[in-house]
Amino acid sequence: MSAEIIVGTSGYSYDDWRGAFYPLRLAKEKMLAFYAREFSFTELNSTYYYIPPQRVFARLAERTPEGFIFTVKAHKSLTHERDENPKSSAEKFLLAVKPLCEAEKLGAVLFQFPYSFRKSEKSTDYLTRLREAFPQVPAAVEFRHVSWVEQSTYQLLRSLELAYVCVDEPRLYGLVGPVAVRTSSLGYVRFHGRNAAKWWKCKEPWERYDYLYDEKELAEWVPRAHNIARGANRVFIAFNNHPRAQAVCNARTFRNMIQASY
């Protein structure tokens, strides 16, 4: 059997989505409820910079309907700064997201590592310690460096029950490329756009993700998504090309493609 393929966007609270997706005068605190009318899943990316108190996650759970799912990006202390012992940071993070767990709305914790995190004995040991700090929590790992694209990586992730995050991004030397693989009961794909000109040379981080996929590019991932879903419990598809609500446009198109392909 194949899992449900759930399509959404990486974040939802963007001012430049007003007019393109949200009504122009919609208050920021009403964006999530509006978003949840159409999509049943979103990533929370702001948690990379700051871990909010429990009450913030409790409000997120309250403002969304039953069955709505969040995936939450891990704080930078766990992925970019990487203390030798991640247990302390993990406990703080897990305590904060507890309301989502209790509401059965936490789909996964997303660990997005930087390009500088390359495969080595030290880094694979860190993944093991990280998993021990997040026991029994659905978790997904996104790598940016091509050194991780090999069978031994997938075997390690399977042994740790960590989901490999498949990515679509510019076809640039050193990046992981469009690998479609599943290493746990959870499948995960993130679309970052293919803005090669801005990937390494951007004045603002958002410029890297300023890209609108065409239908031909999206169609490449329809059979891949079905392959990932085969035997899985759940598959998340997240569009991170957020400038000017391009993520919404592409998420709608891809969702329609998936529905039409059954």
Side-chain angles (χ1 to χ4, degrees):
M1 287 186 64
S2 292
E4 179 186 8
I5 298 173
I6 309 171
V7 183
T9 64
S10 300
Y12 63 88
S13 182
Y14 299 105
D15 288 334
D16 67 345
W17 285 19
R18 289 192 176 94
F21 176 57
Y22 296 122
L24 284 172
R25 297 183 180 180
L26 185 71
K28 208 166 183 85
E29 61 269 21
K30 295 183 178 180
M31 285 182 173
L32 180 57
F34 186 97
Y35 175 93
R37 295 178 189 175
E38 180 169 351
F39 298 102
S40 59
F41 146 69
T42 191
E43 289 179 349
L44 299 178
N45 290 310
S46 60
T47 46
Y48 167 79
Y49 301 100
Y50 167 68
I51 303 176
Q54 273 193 0
R55 64 179 181 274
V56 172
F57 291 101
R59 285 200 297 268
L60 292 174
E62 292 167 359
R63 291 175 178 174
T64 48
E66 183 178 352
F68 191 92
I69 300 294
F70 296 91
T71 59
V72 186
K73 183 178 284 189
H75 188 258
K76 60 184 178 180
S77 61
L78 291 159
T79 56
H80 288 57
E81 296 164 0
R82 298 190 300 278
D83 293 335
E84 282 296 315
N85 183 0
K87 186 175 180 181
S88 177
S89 295
E91 289 176 347
K92 181 180 179 182
F93 189 89
L94 289 171
L95 182 63
V97 301
K98 188 177 179 181
L100 293 184
C101 296
E102 293 175 341
E104 298 183 348
K105 292 187 175 185
L106 179 65
V109 176
L110 172 62
F111 298 97
Q112 187 244 296
F113 288 95
Y115 182 79
S116 59
F117 186 65
R118 304 186 180 192
K119 190 173 184 184
S120 66
E121 184 177 350
K122 182 179 179 180
S123 57
T124 55
D125 287 346
Y126 181 77
L127 288 178
T128 300
R129 293 196 302 275
L130 189 65
R131 192 43 162 153
E132 291 170 350
F134 284 82
Q136 300 178 335
V137 176
V141 177
E142 179 180 340
F143 301 113
R144 290 286 171 94
H145 194 267
V146 70
S147 59
W148 291 96
V149 181
E150 57 182 38
Q151 288 300 320
S152 60
T153 296
Y154 312 143
Q155 292 168 3
L156 173 67
L157 296 183
R158 289 186 181 105
S159 70
L160 298 174
E161 186 60 19
L162 289 172
Y164 178 89
V165 176
C166 311
V167 296
D168 189 281
E169 58 193 4
R171 307 309 201 250
L172 295 174
Y173 178 81
L175 297 183
V176 298
V179 178
V181 65
R182 180 173 57 82
T183 58
S184 79
S185 58
L186 172 67
Y188 211 124
V189 183
R190 302 184 81 212
F191 285 83
H192 295 306
R194 300 181 183 180
N195 193 341
K198 292 290 186 178
W199 191 260
W200 299 123
K201 298 178 180 180
C202 56
K203 294 181 179 179
E204 299 292 339
W206 62 264
E207 294 177 328
R208 176 178 292 167
Y209 308 108
D210 188 2
Y211 188 84
L212 182 68
Y213 287 92
D214 62 35
E215 291 192 8
K216 182 178 179 181
E217 291 169 332
L218 293 177
E220 297 170 9
W221 278 95
V222 172
R224 295 172 186 166
H226 282 302
N227 286 336
I228 292 168
R230 196 167 292 117
N233 291 337
R234 179 183 282 163
V235 177
F236 293 121
I237 308 287
F239 283 85
N240 193 30
N241 54 329
H242 58 81
R244 301 182 304 284
Q246 293 170 121
V248 172
C249 177
N250 283 153
R252 286 169 169 164
T253 301
F254 192 74
R255 182 180 57 196
N256 291 340
M257 286 180 168
I258 290 293
Q259 291 173 350
S261 65
Y262 281 109

